[in-house]
Amino acid sequence: MDESGGSGRPQSDGAEDLRPHGTDGSQEPARPVDTAREPTRPADAAGGPGRPADPADAPARPRQDGADTPPADPRGPEGPPPHPEPRPRTSFTKAPPEEPPAEPRRPRAASGGPTGKGGPVPPKAQKGPGGGLLMGRPFGVPVYVAPSWFLVAALITWVFGDQLDRVLPELGGARYLVSLFFAVAFYASVLVHELAHTVAALRFKLPVRRIQLQFFGGVSEIEKESETPGREFVLAFVGPLLSLVLAGVFYAGMQAVEPGTVPGVLLAGLMISNLIVAVFNLLPGLPLDGGRMLRAVVWKITGKPMSGTVAAAWVGRALAISVLIGLPLLNQSGALGGDAQDIGGMDTVTDALLAAILAAIIWTGAGNSLRMARLREHLPELRARTLTRRAVPVETDTPLSEALRRANDAGARALVVVDADGDPMSVVREAAIVSVPQHRRPWVSVGGLAQDITEGMRISAELAGEELLDTLRATPATEYLVVEESGEIYGVLSAADVERAFVKAMARPS
């Protein structure tokens, strides 16, 4: 029972701000449907509502002898009455799209690869279940290779091949085959890095949607946030840790082979690349793994995950600026192990371009982390109980005009078709109601406009936040039947209402 002492069903004014918009974009409350001019037959012996006669069965003019032929529609050939009253607008004034509205995407946490393209992904940026070429399902998690990876593999093959030409000139054209093997082995190391995040997430019972290898590394799409800062720290740290372990393994392999040979050069390159991956990911800024570790520390100190996200995101933005300015300067000075370069050469342009790409990835990831943190902060406001429309039960053969009259009298905005025992069978779709012209509604039954209620379309009124979004995502539909724990009908939840509330929550400042 609700606080007002009523029957526990949603009140007619509980979702005024979420009612369908009029054609001018303004919001308006439900208004009654005028059924005064809709011809109906006398009520049957059972006392139910009279079913209107279809005008196709009636002559063009009404008979004058008082026979039981149904009267003609006053809007027929005789024309409207001399002074017709204006027809009030119904609450179903705007037809929703025929397809189900875009479903609010649930937030995902993502652990980044070598360049830190991780962090939570905003709803609009999320991709479908694919995302490239499926390579396998280790631990039951699909691994995809994005098309952009092939571009990077070609770039690595070309750059590493030129380096091999200086170290092993006797290879000739075969150096590019060796370089291609190095590119594949390097991304296999990145996959191990991401699998470390995945295994830790599964150990903490956090679902992992997929792993994707892409342009500058990889990403593990973890579908829920860690429950504690300690788990968040471990989940972020295991990736760089595995990269350090791989660097040590490749270093040990170097000791077992002759230097200056193909195996020696490959092992040296893999050792250095994994060391760079580990160090880069340990930098303390989102969306890098080090940023998630910093977030966990601030979360532990303050007790607020949002504070940790804000701190780590702003450090990530400062890191992006540092990479943009500092990486080209370090390369030109030879501080990263190469020869000093003259400013203005082709190498300078390449370094600047690489720095700009890395900085853009880090800056964007930090911004995404802030947006997703704000989303999670507002997610609890999405409650099925407050978004549900009040509904009236009708039988399957009830004329649509009569059903709408009952709904408007009760201040309801949805219709549920029930059987003789009052058990719900289907939900009348709003799009189907709007598609029926006014003059046809007396001769159309609600049963032909309803969608059968499947198990996934029956949801609890207690659902809220991410759990509510997960439930709707599992069974896409335009309307859902909302029930109390006792099984009593609470109302109908429209996916369009949830989407509008989702957008409003994202628009509000934290």
Side-chain angles (χ1 to χ4, degrees):
M1 181 164 302
D2 57 18
E3 295 179 358
S4 61
S7 61
R9 300 186 180 182
Q11 301 299 314
S12 59
D13 59 352
E16 286 285 330
D17 57 328
L18 293 177
R19 296 183 174 180
H21 293 207
T23 56
D24 59 352
S26 60
Q27 295 175 331
E28 58 184 14
R31 298 184 180 180
V33 176
D34 181 8
T35 58
R37 290 174 288 171
E38 292 169 346
T40 58
R41 290 178 181 155
D44 55 20
R51 183 178 181 81
D54 195 316
D57 300 331
R61 290 177 176 272
R63 293 170 56 182
Q64 304 296 325
D65 55 2
D68 56 356
T69 303
D73 192 331
R75 290 163 291 185
E78 296 285 83
H83 301 286
E85 296 180 359
R87 175 180 294 272
R89 285 190 289 178
T90 174
S91 58
F92 299 97
T93 55
K94 181 180 179 182
E98 290 298 326
E99 297 295 328
E103 174 194 353
R105 306 277 189 175
R106 63 175 164 178
R108 295 187 182 90
S111 296
T115 64
K117 195 176 181 182
V121 183
K124 292 185 179 179
Q126 291 170 2
K127 299 181 180 179
L133 180 64
L134 178 63
M135 302 301 295
R137 294 180 178 271
F139 305 103
V141 178
V143 176
Y144 293 93
V145 174
S148 59
W149 176 86
F150 296 95
L151 177 62
V152 178
L155 180 62
I156 293 176
T157 301
W158 175 53
V159 173
F160 194 68
D162 287 346
Q163 294 177 350
L164 281 177
D165 190 37
R166 293 193 292 267
V167 178
L168 299 171
E170 66 274 11
L171 287 178
R175 68 182 184 273
Y176 291 109
L177 291 177
V178 178
S179 299
L180 179 60
F181 178 83
F182 170 78
V184 174
F186 169 67
Y187 268 86
S189 301
V190 173
L191 178 59
V192 172
H193 176 109
E194 297 304 326
L195 284 174
H197 293 302
T198 297
V199 172
L202 296 176
R203 175 68 179 81
F204 295 144
K205 302 188 184 305
L206 301 175
V208 181
R209 182 169 177 257
R210 67 177 179 179
I211 297 173
Q212 188 182 52
L213 301 179
Q214 48 188 262
F215 187 73
F216 263 93
V219 57
S220 301
E221 294 187 4
I222 303 171
E223 298 192 338
K224 290 186 178 180
E225 284 288 339
S226 301
E227 297 178 354
T228 64
R231 291 185 175 185
E232 174 79 357
F233 188 92
V234 171
L235 186 61
F237 180 63
V238 291
L241 177 62
L242 257 292
S243 294
L244 287 173
V245 171
L246 285 176
V249 170
F250 291 128
Y251 177 77
M254 289 173 55
Q255 311 307 312
V257 299
E258 289 291 332
T261 61
V262 170
V265 172
L266 285 175
L267 290 171
L270 291 172
M271 184 269 293
I272 294 174
S273 61
N274 276 275
L275 188 61
I276 293 174
V277 167
V279 173
F280 188 81
N281 270 280
L282 286 174
L283 295 177
L286 285 174
L288 303 175
D289 292 327
R292 299 189 65 186
M293 295 163 62
L294 174 62
R295 173 182 182 265
V297 172
V298 177
W299 178 4
K300 179 67 175 180
I301 295 174
T302 64
K304 299 177 181 179
M306 184 65 181
S307 299
T309 301
V310 171
W314 279 105
V315 173
R317 287 178 168 176
L319 182 62
I321 296 175
S322 300
V323 169
L324 178 63
I325 299 174
L327 185 59
L329 295 178
L330 290 175
N331 279 339
Q332 291 167 11
S333 65
L336 297 181
D339 297 331
Q341 305 171 4
D342 295 331
I343 298 178
M346 189 62 188
D347 290 338
T348 302
V349 176
T350 303
D351 293 340
L353 179 61
L354 176 62
I357 294 175
L358 290 178
I361 291 174
I362 297 174
W363 182 278
T364 303
N368 289 343
S369 299
L370 283 174
R371 283 190 292 272
M372 292 307 298
R374 184 177 65 188
L375 169 62
R376 289 192 175 95
E377 190 176 44
H378 291 304
L379 268 183
E381 300 174 13
L382 300 180
R383 305 185 62 84
R385 186 174 294 278
T386 58
L387 295 175
T388 296
R389 301 178 177 186
R390 184 174 183 180
V392 294
V394 293
E395 294 186 353
T396 186
D397 58 349
T398 305
L400 177 58
S401 60
E402 169 64 16
L404 292 178
R405 184 192 65 78
R406 296 184 194 177
N408 288 325
D409 289 347
R413 299 174 53 232
L415 302 172
V416 177
V417 178
V418 298
D419 59 17
D421 297 326
D423 296 326
M425 299 187 304
S426 56
V427 175
V428 181
R429 295 177 296 115
E430 183 180 4
I433 294 175
V434 179
S435 67
V436 179
Q438 291 279 349
H439 68 277
R440 288 291 303 163
R441 292 181 178 182
W443 296 279
V444 176
S445 63
V446 295
L449 308 175
Q451 180 179 4
D452 291 339
I453 299 172
T454 62
E455 187 60 32
M457 292 174 59
R458 188 188 301 262
I459 66 175
S460 170
E462 302 302 325
L463 290 179
E466 193 167 350
E467 186 180 6
L468 173 62
L469 297 184
D470 288 343
T471 303
L472 302 189
R473 180 174 178 266
T475 308
T478 54
E479 285 92 8
Y480 300 84
L481 178 69
V482 182
V483 297
E484 296 281 10
E485 294 182 357
S486 61
E488 179 185 2
I489 298 176
Y490 183 76
V492 172
L493 178 65
S494 170
D497 290 347
V498 178
E499 183 183 9
R500 280 191 288 269
F502 184 90
V503 173
K504 287 176 63 178
M506 284 293 293
R508 281 194 295 272
S510 300

